[in-house]
Amino acid sequence: MKRLLPVLLSLCCALSMHAEIHTQAVEYKDGDTVLEGFSAYDDSIQGKRPAVLIVHQWKGLSDYEKKRAEMLAKLGYSVFACDIYGKGIRPQDTKEAGALAGKYKSDRQLLRQRVNAGLEALKKQKFTDTKNVAAIGYCFGGTTVIELARSGADVKGVVSFHGALDSPKPEDGKNIKCKVLALHGADDPYVPAKDVAAFEDEMRDAKVDWQLVKFGGAVHSFTDWTAGTDNSKGAAYNEKADKRSWQYMQDFFNELFK
């Protein structure tokens, strides 16, 4: 056995060196609307694996979500970052982003339809274990994954990172079949206390298995390393909250996929 150990270690090192996160753009549709998402997986892992859908922030699918997809792929998941807005539709400034995000937030049925199209695209990825699927989202995407849950989607859980927590139709909570984890900046000026309370009431009344984690000193966009660090602007990166929320997500997934 001692003689075999160096050989085994060398083999492991060789496999690790050849492991690669495979990424590619994936075109798909919601009706006649052409969308373009982004898939990621570790090609050193064999066979089907639990899968994660990522929903982007208000400026559309960007390098930020693609980086998160690669991070999740390194953890062993089949990952698909979906596209709510449409192929080539990427807001260039906050005015455009606000208008587009507002369009979908004011039409929750359209938003649910569009995110469910992304979910179906994830399920079609060759390494996706369709019985073990979760969804995460950032800001606008955090709002969207809660709407995915409200649509009655067949997923095991959703994770909202600094998403809006309003409850336009509280009765839709009864459609939720999955576990819900909301990761929230305790000082987020864009999510008023009444919305947090409405979310809690909806989850409680619908008897959902839910969690709400508040991070002290964190405002909106606390996971976004491109957001600067000035809390007075209302949206800022917070390294502690980012790392802690990522760990909460991993623990949640470990529970979902055990």
Side-chain angles (χ1 to χ4, degrees):
M1 184 63 190
K2 289 183 178 180
R3 291 181 180 179
L4 285 174
L5 189 57
V7 176
L8 291 172
L9 288 173
S10 296
L11 179 59
C12 289
C13 288
L15 289 172
S16 177
M17 289 174 63
H18 286 90
E20 182 179 348
I21 301 302
H22 178 86
T23 63
Q24 68 181 58
V26 177
E27 191 173 289
Y28 65 107
K29 286 187 174 182
D30 171 26
D32 294 329
T33 302
V34 179
L35 307 161
E36 187 175 70
F38 177 85
S39 73
Y41 61 85
D42 184 341
D43 66 4
S44 70
I45 301 173
Q46 299 300 310
K48 303 285 186 179
R49 64 206 69 172
V52 181
L53 179 73
I54 299 177
V55 187
H56 55 75
Q57 37 66 47
W58 69 338
K59 288 189 176 180
L61 181 55
S62 69
D63 289 342
Y64 175 79
E65 291 81 18
K66 293 176 183 179
K67 177 62 177 177
R68 291 291 183 182
E70 292 179 18
M71 291 168 66
L72 283 165
K74 288 177 181 177
L75 293 176
Y77 298 106
S78 170
V79 190
F80 186 73
C82 71
D83 173 18
I84 301 297
Y85 295 158
K87 184 176 180 178
I89 300 176
R90 302 292 182 265
Q92 297 303 303
D93 53 41
T94 56
K95 183 178 180 179
E96 286 185 26
L100 263 177
K103 169 186 173 181
Y104 290 93
K105 289 178 73 173
S106 64
D107 187 346
R108 298 294 173 110
Q109 287 304 122
L110 175 60
L111 182 57
R112 293 177 187 183
Q113 177 182 315
R114 194 57 57 82
V115 70
N116 270 283
L119 177 61
E120 290 307 307
L122 168 65
K123 290 182 175 180
K124 290 177 181 177
Q125 301 305 301
K126 63 181 179 179
F127 290 123
T128 293
D129 175 358
T130 57
K131 294 181 179 180
N132 284 296
V133 177
I136 72 171
Y138 296 91
C139 300
F140 167 78
T143 307
T144 303
V145 295
I146 295 175
E147 289 300 323
L148 176 67
R150 288 173 176 146
S151 76
D154 184 18
V155 295
K156 286 203 165 183
V158 299
V159 183
S160 170
F161 289 87
H162 40 80
L165 297 176
D166 57 325
S167 182
K169 294 179 65 179
E171 63 273 18
D172 284 355
K174 69 181 184 300
N175 300 324
I176 298 175
K177 303 173 183 176
C178 66
K179 298 178 180 180
V180 175
L181 172 61
L183 302 168
H184 174 62
D187 299 331
D188 189 336
Y190 300 116
V191 182
K194 65 179 180 62
D195 286 356
V196 178
F199 168 79
E200 292 181 357
D201 288 343
E202 179 186 349
M203 297 296 110
R204 189 177 294 113
D205 292 346
K207 295 180 171 56
V208 174
D209 185 341
W210 64 284
Q211 301 173 63
L212 171 63
V213 181
K214 299 179 182 180
F215 298 99
V219 293
H220 201 63
S221 299
F222 61 80
T223 68
D224 185 352
W225 47 74
T226 70
T229 57
D230 184 355
N231 275 17
S232 69
K233 294 182 177 180
Y237 179 67
N238 183 301
E239 184 178 6
K240 285 184 179 179
D242 177 23
K243 291 180 177 178
R244 288 170 177 171
S245 62
W246 189 253
Q247 187 59 55
Y248 269 102
M249 178 205 70
Q250 291 184 66
D251 293 343
F252 185 64
F253 286 169
N254 289 337
E255 178 183 313
L256 295 181
F257 302 135
K258 63 183 177 183

